[in-house]
Amino acid sequence: MSSITKLPCEVIVLVLRDLGNMRSLLPCLLTCRYFYSCFRENPGVAADILRQQVTPALIPYSIAALEASRLNPRTGAAVQELLETLYTEPSKLADRLRTMSVPLLAKMGNMHEATHSLATTFANSSWTCLSNDQGSRISGSLSLSSAEYFRFCRAFYRVELYFCLFRTSTPSTAAELLDGSDKERFLSKHAPWENEQLGCALEFLERQLSEASHDVLAHDVELGELGIDYLTAGDGNGWRQLWLSQGIGFIYRLINENSYETKKALLKSTFGAGSADLYEALCTPSEEGLDDVIPLAEYTDEALTTLFPVLDSQDTDKGPFEAWRVAFNVWPRCAWVMLVNSFGLRKRAYVFWDWDRLERYGMLELSDNVPEGSELQYTGEEYDAMYESFKERSNIWQKGGSGYWSRGDESKIVWRHR
């Protein structure tokens, strides 16, 4: 039988290039010396694999997120230079791919794996919600167009980019080199419907984080002693904003971890880490539009085109814009992002879908059947129960106990003095 090692090096390189995922590269190279030798002669194959995995359209965002995580010092000038390159000359970022080391390419591959998983999970859960809405004509499984896939992934990359750039440092040395205007300039590079996409992605991540951390936060004695709020959503909960601020990779690890103790260790590992409240930034209107009281309905297409020119050549479909215009039709410019009563729309990813999908399923009218509130809103009784658990868990902690607490059940408590 012929051995694969008898194949020409060029054929082996073609096989490696077709792996499609950076995670598969290292096991292949460890298979035999001949594979490794072929790779050494053609190191550019690693960049080719990453380009297939991430897709060419998303490569500039992938590189920007990596560069943002390595900015040192993280000055306003450095931040703006990176953002300017990303939004006006993305090809310059893409050109760096060929000179990047394999470990950096692998890091980008891991980040995209998390981004892809979260983005597609969000898309599918949104489609399920739309399918279940009363009166909806939507049915069947979801198949994203290439533009929709790009849009979903781009939103998560932008969330990651914000956290990497504006997460405060510990000690807060680099943070002092940035101010609120840098954050506002970042958001001003997006049209309002694109910032709504960030809001959609952020609230999805918060729902995932809330579900993944609830068992630990609601039952662990030590975390109860600290009085960590596991109910309040949005910028009113500093702990949750801290965990969200650790980025896509952290959240992805947390939601995919099954071990109670490992989840607790992950949550505790962020104590003292920096935070960046994207929720607050999105909800804060820009100074430029504060005095504008004209409702969106009175703006002409030409006026809106002047205000928000298309910056991304990869995303020219009018679907997100039309969906946003219907939702904000009666609102002035200072309220064009993150309306409180639009939770249901954001959960359904209303600003991500292509125009032909919106038209085919009549999705612009679906907002009439969408609930306004968030499932992350809780009753007074639920808050009372949380505060009561803080008292009970604190008493146990003060007496030397730790571990898993349940109301009326201390069988899983571990006592230090015993």
Side-chain angles (χ1 to χ4, degrees), residues 2 22 29 40 68 77 118 125 137 182 185 216 228 239 256 312 355 360-361 373-374 400:
S2 298
M22 283 297 296
L29 298 183
R40 287 291 300 271
L118 291 167
S125 66
R137 300 196 296 268
D182 293 300
R185 279 196 291 271
V216 176
I228 295 179
W239 285 103
N256 285 285
D312 199 331
W355 172 249
R360 186 186 323 137
Y361 295 108
S374 166

Side-chain angles (χ1 to χ4, degrees), residues 126 129-130 132-136 341-350 363-373:
S126 299
C129 287
L130 288 167
N132 293 335
D133 287 338
Q134 184 178 0
S136 172
N341 61 353
S342 295
F343 279 115
L345 286 175
R346 289 193 290 273
K347 184 178 180 181
R348 286 153 179 81
Y350 78 109
M363 289 167 64
L364 291 179
E365 291 76 41
L366 289 178
S367 58
D368 298 336
N369 300 316
V370 169
E372 295 182 351

Side-chain angles (χ1 to χ4, degrees), residues 308-381:
F308 312 113
V310 177
L311 295 177
D312 199 331
S313 61
Q314 301 292 333
D315 185 21
T316 58
D317 187 273
K318 70 174 183 176
F321 163 72
E322 294 294 349
W324 167 80
R325 182 151 67 171
V326 168
F328 287 83
N329 202 36
V330 300
W331 294 94
R333 190 174 174 183
C334 62
W336 282 355
V337 179
M338 295 294 284
L339 282 178
V340 173
N341 61 353
S342 295
F343 279 115
L345 286 175
R346 289 193 290 273
K347 184 178 180 181
R348 286 153 179 81
Y350 78 109
V351 282
F352 284 86
W353 310 112
D354 287 344
W355 172 249
D356 66 338
R357 188 188 297 274
L358 295 175
E359 202 171 32
R360 186 186 323 137
Y361 295 108
M363 289 167 64
L364 291 179
E365 291 76 41
L366 289 178
S367 58
D368 298 336
N369 300 316
V370 169
E372 295 182 351
S374 166
E375 66 267 38
L376 296 181
Q377 295 173 331
Y378 297 91
T379 65
E381 289 78 8

Side-chain angles (χ1 to χ4, degrees), residues 111-166:
M111 172 55 66
H112 186 73
E113 194 172 299
T115 301
H116 167 83
S117 177
L118 291 167
T120 52
T121 299
F122 178 37
N124 283 304
S125 66
S126 299
W127 192 248
T128 299
C129 287
L130 288 167
S131 300
N132 293 335
D133 287 338
Q134 184 178 0
S136 172
R137 300 196 296 268
I138 295 172
S139 61
S141 59
L142 173 66
S143 178
L144 291 174
S145 72
S146 59
E148 288 170 333
Y149 177 76
F150 168 76
R151 214 171 284 134
F152 273 97
C153 288
R154 182 186 63 180
F156 285 91
Y157 271 117
R158 285 176 170 176
V159 168
E160 175 70 12
L161 191 58
Y162 183 90
F163 288 143
C164 288
L165 291 175
F166 302 115

